[in-house]
Amino acid sequence: MATHEKLNYVEFGTFDISSTKCFFETVFGWAFTDYGPEYTAFSNQGLDGGFFKAERASTTANGGALLVFYSADIRQTLSKVEDAGGNVNKPIFEFPGGCRFHFIEPGGNEFAVWSEKE
């Protein structure tokens, strides 16, 4: 349900829609709805959104926003990310309140995963 003036949808560019879809289906169990060969959407993941075919992707190095997943078992999630072809660009590190790691999915976008404990 959409809420007035609250974040509702996010879109990402991706170098490879097929690889991006496969990665998120494998690691996080996402389902997608395709809208032609250059756009796919996801929903019911905490925030709805989509991926569009692009020459660039979102990373913190180029000023992109960082979306962060929560995990009750960060080591297990890290293994799933690596097994599915994600590139861990910042290994697990601690911060006040927990720990996290960053990764680049096969389509080029950077995300992070955090947990309250390692």
Side-chain angles (χ1 to χ4, degrees), residues 37-80:
E38 295 192 356
Y39 194 89
T40 191
F42 58 87
S43 59
N44 299 316
Q45 300 307 320
L47 180 64
D48 293 351
F51 292 95
F52 58 92
K53 180 77 172 119
E55 299 284 325
R56 295 184 180 185
S58 180
T59 65
T60 57
N62 67 21
L66 180 66
L67 274 71
V68 183
F69 292 88
Y70 172 77
S71 174
D73 185 340
I74 199 164
R75 292 268 173 206
Q76 179 189 40
T77 304
L78 175 67
S79 291
K80 289 170 59 178

Side-chain angles (χ1 to χ4, degrees), residues 88-107:
V88 175
N89 62 326
K90 290 187 184 176
I92 294 174
F93 63 93
E94 292 185 13
F95 65 90
C99 60
R100 76 181 197 197
F101 69 91
H102 294 206
F103 67 91
I104 308 289
E105 56 90 9

Side-chain angles (χ1 to χ4, degrees), residues 4-24:
H4 179 65
E5 297 181 345
K6 301 297 179 195
L7 289 175
N8 176 257
Y9 202 84
V10 62
E11 293 185 328
F12 297 93
T14 177
F15 304 137
D16 184 338
I17 288 176
S18 179
S19 293
T20 293
K21 284 175 53 179
C22 183
F23 177 83
F24 284 99

